[in-house]
Amino acid sequence: MRSFKGKTYWLVGASAGLGEALAHKLVDAGAKVIVSARGEDDLKRVVSELGDAARYVTIDVSDEADVARAAEEVGQIDGYVHLAGVYWPMPAQEWDAKQVNAMLDINMTGMARVLGHIVPPMVARDDGHIVITSSLTGFRGLPGSIGYTASKAAAMSLAESMECDLRKTGVDVQVANPGFIKTQLTDKNNFNMPFLMQPDEAAQIMFHHMKFGGFKRSFPTLFSLVFRGSQFLPDWAYFRIFGKA
């Protein structure tokens, strides 16, 4: 069981939603947190609610120079949680190059930019905790999800590769794969979202995962069976169920 007391965690993508709720869980557990996102006003609000155990550093994960500046300002940390992401629902027939490129750049490459400043120091110290937020959508390609699903599959794969390399070291790697969470991103969806979670509910599950260990947590559990089970379907069956008629 991991103790957070006295530890410092950097959360990127914590100005609202799941990231903000998780920051509260960590502070309640005795951690100090640094919350980051692009919007300074939202970060100021979050820090004012978190109290003295929190501070903020703005970051634009799409800008390497700004990522380097933020990482230097943050300094040495015990743990890192990546939650930053953008999303637009989109079928291939309505491909918007600007939005697709943004989803891939921010959701995946942006994460890699930050990890480039996080992983080497943790490896050098042989100590650290890295948590990647992917999604249930990352298990297999889905209709109407050009860009986003690919970015989350890449995030999951990156976490798995990191775990392969670091599993017997002092750097602990975890990945969380949530389903639908009530946020500004899912508000864009015009379809029914089964097992829709509130941010605090999802944050509690994620915090439990961080505290008690294990590499991967996909939730809600019942809903996750659909996505994990789809990996075992042959292509002809999968695309007959999920593909456009």
Side-chain angles (χ1 to χ4, degrees):
M1 184 173 69
R2 177 176 285 106
S3 173
F4 299 97
K5 190 173 181 60
K7 302 293 185 181
T8 299
Y9 274 74
W10 186 18
L11 286 71
V12 170
S15 60
L18 175 60
E20 178 183 358
L22 183 60
H24 279 275
K25 303 292 183 188
L26 288 167
V27 167
D28 289 345
K32 297 178 180 179
V33 300
I34 305 157
V35 293
S36 290
R38 285 178 294 180
E40 188 170 14
D41 289 343
D42 287 335
L43 292 173
K44 286 180 178 179
R45 175 188 57 79
V46 172
V47 167
S48 70
E49 294 172 358
L50 289 170
D52 294 340
R55 64 185 177 97
Y56 76 87
V57 174
T58 60
I59 190 172
D60 180 351
V61 299
S62 68
D63 184 328
E64 173 57 41
D66 198 58
V67 170
R69 186 273 311 162
E72 183 174 357
E73 187 174 341
V74 166
Q76 182 171 314
I77 55 174
D78 301 293
Y80 174 73
V81 186
H82 191 88
L83 304 118
V86 294
Y87 165 70
W88 293 274
M90 187 186 310
Q93 296 92 329
E94 300 173 13
W95 193 295
D96 183 313
K98 183 178 180 180
Q99 291 180 344
V100 170
N101 293 347
M103 285 186 278
L104 294 172
D105 184 40
I106 293 172
N107 297 0
M108 173 55 197
T109 308
M111 178 178 65
R113 289 188 186 99
V114 184
L115 289 174
H117 296 271
I118 297 299
V119 175
M122 286 187 176
V123 170
R125 298 196 313 268
D126 195 32
D127 183 64
H129 182 199
I130 297 170
V131 183
I132 302 302
T133 309
S134 180
S135 166
L136 291 182
T137 66
F139 282 104
R140 197 157 185 178
L142 292 170
S145 190
I146 293 297
Y148 184 78
T149 289
S151 71
K152 290 303 183 179
M156 192 184 302
S157 179
L158 180 64
E160 290 170 346
S161 293
M162 291 171 62
E163 173 66 3
C164 286
D165 292 334
L166 299 173
R167 61 186 299 266
K168 292 187 177 181
T169 73
V171 182
D172 190 16
V173 179
Q174 294 183 295
V175 61
N177 306 313
F180 295 116
I181 303 172
K182 177 67 174 174
T183 66
Q184 292 178 343
L185 298 186
T186 54
D187 284 346
K188 298 177 182 180
N189 291 332
N190 61 2
F191 54 84
N192 180 51
M193 291 176 281
F195 300 95
L196 181 66
M197 296 175 285
Q198 293 298 320
D200 189 69
E201 177 186 5
Q204 182 58 46
I205 296 171
M206 194 163 171
F207 176 76
H208 185 275
H209 176 50
M210 292 170 63
K211 183 174 182 178
F212 291 99
F215 169 65
K216 184 181 293 182
R217 178 68 188 272
S218 302
F219 59 95
T221 302
L222 184 60
F223 192 36
S224 75
L225 294 176
V226 175
F227 294 86
R228 289 184 287 165
S230 72
Q231 294 182 302
F232 299 99
L233 289 174
D235 287 343
W236 67 265
Y238 180 79
F239 293 118
R240 174 172 286 186
I241 296 170
F242 292 96
K244 184 176 177 63

